[in-house]
Amino acid sequence: MFGSINHTSSVTNSLFSRQFLHPPLQDHAGIKPFFGGRRSHTATSFSNDVDQLPTEAPLQQELNFPGGKVKFMPKRIFTSGSNEERTNCYRVLNENGELIVDSDSLKISKELGVKMYKDMVTLQVMDTIFYEAQRQGRVSFYLTTIGEEAINIASAAALDNNDFVFPQYREPGVLLWRGFTLQEFANQLFGNKYDYGKGRQMPIHYGSKKHNYVTVSSTVATQIPQAVGAAYSMKMQKQDSCTITYFGDGGSSTGDFHAGLNFSAVMEVPVIFFCRNNGWAISTPISDQFRSDGIVVRGKAYGVPSIRVDGNDALAIYSAVYEARKMAIEKQTPVLIEALTYRAGHHSTSDDSTKYRPVDEIEWWRDDQNPVKWFKTWIENKGWWSDQAESEQRSSVRKQLSQAIQAAERVEKPPVADMFNDVYDVPPKNLNEQEVILRENIKKHAQEYPSNVAV
Amino acid sequence: MASIFQGVGAATSLSSSTSIETKKFHFCSRRSPSERKACFVVVRSGGVMVDGGLNRIGGRAEQLVTNAVAAKADTPAAATASKPGHELLLFEALREGLEEEMERDARVCVMGEDVGHYGGSYKVTRGLAQKYGDLRVLDTPIAENSFTGMGIGAAMMGLRPIIEGMNMGFLLLAFNQISNNCGMLHYTSGGQFKIPVVIRGPGGVGRQLGAEHSQRLESYFQSIPGIQMVACSTPYNAKGLMKAAIRSDNPVILFEHVLLYNLKERIPDEEYVLNLEEAEMVRPGEHVTILTYSRMRYHVMQAAKTLVNKGYDPEVIDIRSLKPFDLYTIGNSIKKTHRVLIVEECMRTGGIGASLTAAITENFHDYLDAPIVCLSSQDVPTPYAGTLEEWTVVQPPQIVAAVEQLCR
C-alpha cells in the first residue's frame, strides 16, 4: 500500500507509467490500449467453424481496461461512502511522553531533539508575543501556529535545506528551523526596508529564496499545483530533492488540491503534500467541509501513497516526513500526509473562535494535547532537557523578541521607489510616469505624507 | 539595465557598419553580457531609424539596425531579410520559434492539454514531444488553474515553461493563478522569485465556434499588474514574438487568433527576435491613424485598399503590444495624421480599444483634430449562427465608412 502507486499487474503497468515518460516516443511496444476492451477472437476460429458454437473460448471473467484488469460481478454492490473503520493514525509517543512499544520511530540524536524542542518553544513564544504586539496596535495583523508547533518543526527537521517549501500561511516554524531569525520575522511583520518582501505583503506572508521557502500567497491552495510544478522542474533537472507543500483541511476542498494531486500522480514527481487537518477552516468545522474520512483517503483516489499521522506527536511527524521524502525522491512519487491536530488559537487576529466553538474544546486541545508539552516530557525523560533550560530558553527568546520588535519598529519603511520596482524585471514607461506623478504629489503635500517612509 | 539603455546611441554607429550583406547575423537576447556574441541586433519592424536619445521601455530595444532598407509598406519581413528565406504558415512559424528556443535553452518546456503526443489542437507543438520527450512537452490533465499553477511553480525553480491554453477562453479558469500569483509573486516576494512563463493560446472569434470559444481575453487580463501581453498577426511576428516572450523574464501572455493559423508568409532564415513592446507599422500614411491588432489587421488592410482607391491615405499600425502600449509609435503617428480610428475585436466595454482610447486622449489630446473613433464588437456573447457572428465582428465596409466620416 505504502510503496506502490501502480495498481495492477506488471503487464498493464506498462500501459501507463514508466514507458510513457521516457523519450523518444515509440510505438507502445505492441500493447495497444483499447477501449470497450473486447479482445477480438482470432479470425480462424470463426470462419472455419461457422456452425460450431464457440464453447472453446471461455467467457470473459474480466475486462482488460486501460489501467488494469477489472473483474466483473453479477450483483449490484455499491461501495459505501465511508469505511466502517477509519484509517489508522501513526503515533509513536503517547500522551505521557513515552515511546509506544513497537513503534518504528526513527532514532534522533540529542542535538536534533534539543534543537527541535527549542524551536518549538521559540515558535510558541514568538506567536504569543507577536500576537500581543498586534493587539497593542504595533503590528496590523498576525496569525498563530498554536497547537501545530510539532507539525511545523518536526516536518522541517526531516527535510533537507534544498527541499523547496510551498507554505499556506501557518508554517513559519519551517522557516524558523531553517535559520530565519526573529529579527527577520519582525522585519516582515513591520514591513520595514529590511523585509525581504520589501513591505509589499501583509504580515506573516514570509518568503525567503535563500531558505528555499516560497513567499506566502494569501490565496488558498494555489501553492499546491505550484509545488507540483516545482517538483516537475526538479525531476527534469534530476535534482536530489523534493518539494513540500502545506495546506489545511479547508484547502483540501479547493479545485487546486484535486488537480495538484492528480497531476503529481500522473507525472510521478517528488512532492510531499502535507495536510494540516486542524479541524477548523475559520469557522467551518470539518463536518461541514467534507464527508470523507479526512484527507488521507483521497490519496488513494488519485493514486498517491498516503499516511495519517498524529499531528501533535513530533516524533511521528519526523519519522513520517523522513520516510516520505525518501520515497518521493527515490521512487519519484508524490506522497500525501494528513496530520490530525487542532488549531488551538483563533484563525487570525481578525477572528474570535469562541464565537463558534466551545471554550472547553479549545482548552482541552491546547493544554492536554499540547505538542510542545508532550515532546518536552519525552526529552526530559531522556535527560536532554531540564526545567532550568526551559525557563532560560523562554526568557531568552522573549528578550530577543522584544528587542527585535523594538528594532523593527524603528526601522524606516521601504522607499517610494519600491512601490514600482519588481512589477516587471525593469520598470516600464507607464510605471515611471506614475512614479513621477506620485513624487510630485508627495512634494506638494509633504505634511500629509508619513515621515518614516523614505521618498 | 540603464547601461544597456544608454548604449543605444553608441550602438547605432556600430551597427551601421554591420550591413545587411553580412551573411551571418548573430541575433542574441538582451541577457547577460557573457552571452552576447560579437554583433547582435533586435530587428525593428519597418526598419525605421531610431535616434539614441530614445526613451524606450526598459532597456529592451538595444542595438537597432539603422540602415535597414526602407520597408515596403506591407512587407516588413522582406525589408531586413536576405532574399531566400522560407515560406511557412503561422502555426509553423510559432512552432519554429518554439523549437529554436527549446533547442537553445534546455530549461524551456511546454505544458498544456494535448500538446504532446497529439501535437497541439492547432498543431503548434507538433513533433516536439517526439523530439524532446513527453516530460519536456507535457500533456496535462484538464485543469487550467492547476497546470498554470504548475508552470508558475516550475518557473520559480528555474524552468521556462510555455503554458498553452487550448483556447484562450479556458484560461479564465486559470485567472486566479495568473492574476494572484503569476503577476504578483515577483513583486510580493520582493524580487526573490521570478516567473518567466509564457502563456499562449488561440482566442478571438473563429468560424462558428460558439460563445464560449470566441472570447477575447485580452480585455480581462489587461489590468493585471506584472504581466505583459502581445498579439501576433503574421508568421513573421508570430515567430519573433514567441522567441521574445520565451526569453523575457516577465510573464508574457501571447495572444494568437484561431483564424490566422494558416496564413502563409516568407520569413528570414536567419534568427531574429522581435521587441515585445513595439508596434508594427503596416502601412505608412498621412490622413488617419488606424490602430489595430491580430485578425482585425486584415480587415483594416482590406478596407485600406478601398480607401486608397477612394483617395485616402491611411496609416495602419498593428499595435502588437497590448500591455504596455507602444505610445511612442502611436504618438508619432497621431502627431502626423491628427485622426485616430481604433479597430478591434474586443467588445466595446472594457476592451483594449477602451484603454487605448483613454491612453491616447490623456497623452495626445492636443494633437487630435477629431474625437477618437473606436470600432469594436458589440457587448454580446458571440452567436453561433454564421450571419449573426459576422455582424458582431467589425467588417471592412464599416472601417471604410468610419474613415470617411473621420476625414470629412
Side-chain angles (χ1 to χ4, degrees), chain A residues 355-369:
Chain A
K355 286 208 174 98
Y356 50 78
R357 53 186 191 174
V359 176
D360 49 343
E361 177 189 291
I362 305 175
E363 282 172 358
W364 184 74
W365 280 94
R366 197 186 57 213
D367 302 330
D368 287 358
Q369 308 287 91

Side-chain angles (χ1 to χ4, degrees), chain B residues 56-71:
Chain B
R56 299 302 312 195
I57 295 161
R60 240 152 300 215
E62 295 163 334
Q63 303 180 12
L64 302 158
V65 176
T66 54
N67 58 343
V69 168

Side-chain angles (χ1 to χ4, degrees), chain A residues 20 209 232 256 259 422 424-425, chain B residues 134-135 145-146 192 227 250:
Chain A
F20 262 57
K209 187 164 180 171
Y232 162 76
D256 276 348
D422 300 325
Y424 295 98
D425 53 353
Chain B
D134 38 4
L135 200 56
N145 61 329
S146 297
Q192 293 182 88
I227 56 152
N250 293 318

Side-chain angles (χ1 to χ4, degrees), chain B residues 1-17 30 36 40-42 44 48-67 275 277-278 328:
Chain B
M1 275 297 145
S3 55
I4 300 171
F5 208 25
Q6 274 133 30
V8 170
T12 46
S13 54
L14 175 68
S15 53
S16 55
S17 60
R30 41 141 201 96
R36 289 190 208 139
F40 60 104
V41 290
V42 171
R44 266 207 81 170
V48 174
M49 196 137 161
V50 177
D51 73 284
L54 167 64
N55 184 22
R56 299 302 312 195
I57 295 161
R60 240 152 300 215
E62 295 163 334
Q63 303 180 12
L64 302 158
V65 176
T66 54
N67 58 343
N275 187 324
E277 291 106 26
E278 212 174 86
Y328 179 77

Side-chain angles (χ1 to χ4, degrees), chain B residues 43 130 216 264 338:
Chain B
V43 175
Q130 281 80 354
R216 282 78 84 188
K264 194 188 279 201
H338 310 296

Side-chain angles (χ1 to χ4, degrees), chain A residues 70-124:
Chain A
V70 178
K71 287 204 174 72
F72 293 121
M73 63 182 186
K75 301 243 190 285
R76 288 187 298 267
I77 303 175
F78 287 82
T79 49
S80 156
S82 55
N83 288 336
E84 286 276 312
E85 244 186 64
R86 297 190 65 174
T87 310
N88 292 338
C89 178
Y90 176 58
R91 171 197 263 209
V92 299
L93 272 188
N94 65 24
E95 58 271 35
N96 295 331
E98 299 153 351
L99 263 183
I100 296 175
V101 175
D102 356 289
S103 74
D104 66 355
S105 163
L106 295 174
K107 291 214 169 9
I108 60 176
S109 66
K110 173 178 177 187
E111 200 189 325
L112 185 64
V114 169
K115 179 174 189 324
M116 274 170 67
Y117 183 69
K118 275 184 161 169
D119 278 1
M120 281 165 75
V121 168
T122 306
L123 183 55
Q124 217 180 33

Side-chain angles (χ1 to χ4, degrees), chain B residues 149-354:
Chain B
M150 248 190 69
I152 293 169
M156 286 199 274
M157 293 287 302
L159 289 190
R160 303 187 78 90
I162 291 131
I163 300 163
E164 172 173 313
M166 192 187 277
N167 185 289
M168 271 283 162
F170 306 164
L171 290 181
L172 287 171
L173 288 157
F175 208 101
N176 186 12
Q177 289 282 358
I178 295 174
S179 168
N180 281 324
N181 291 307
C182 188
M184 286 189 193
L185 269 168
H186 186 242
Y187 186 75
T188 56
S189 69
Q192 293 182 88
F193 298 102
K194 65 176 189 194
I195 325 274
V197 296
V198 176
I199 298 172
R200 50 160 291 270
V205 178
R207 297 247 182 273
Q208 298 191 268
L209 296 177
E212 298 92 339
H213 292 71
S214 311
Q215 308 227 46
R216 282 78 84 188
L217 281 236
E218 54 270 25
S219 312
Y220 308 140
F221 287 140
Q222 60 177 324
S223 31
I224 300 175
I227 56 152
Q228 277 188 261
M229 307 199 307
V230 287
C232 61
S233 50
T234 66
Y236 178 74
N237 64 35
K239 179 175 173 186
L241 290 175
M242 169 73 93
K243 289 170 74 89
I246 295 172
R247 295 185 192 191
S248 167
D249 274 346
N250 293 318
V252 179
I253 305 186
L254 170 57
F255 290 90
E256 299 152 17
H257 197 285
V258 273
L259 294 181
L260 297 183
Y261 280 124
N262 290 327
L263 276 182
K264 194 188 279 201
E265 190 183 5
R266 181 169 287 275
I267 66 168
D269 288 327
E270 300 89 13
E271 190 183 12
Y272 65 95
V273 180
L274 293 178
N275 187 324
L276 284 176
E277 291 106 26
E278 212 174 86
E280 189 177 315
M281 177 66 72
V282 184
R283 180 191 190 284
E286 297 290 322
H287 291 167
V288 59
T289 298
I290 306 183
L291 302 171
T292 182
Y293 67 95
S294 193
R295 180 192 171 205
M296 289 294 108
R297 167 190 175 135
Y298 296 94
H299 283 206
V300 167
M301 289 312 290
Q302 211 179 319
K305 283 204 191 89
T306 315
L307 286 168
V308 167
N309 288 340
K310 293 192 173 193
Y312 294 94
D313 187 18
E315 177 152 291
V316 179
I317 296 178
D318 180 340
I319 61 174
R320 255 174 28 192
S321 173
L322 305 180
K323 183 180 169 85
F325 293 133
D326 180 2
L327 290 179
Y328 179 77
T329 306
I330 294 172
N332 281 346
S333 176
I334 295 173
K335 289 174 187 174
K336 183 170 55 163
T337 68
H338 310 296
R339 285 163 220 281
V340 181
L341 171 66
I342 300 172
V343 179
E344 59 165 353
E345 213 176 33
C346 283
M347 296 178 207
R348 161 70 78 201
T349 305
I352 296 289

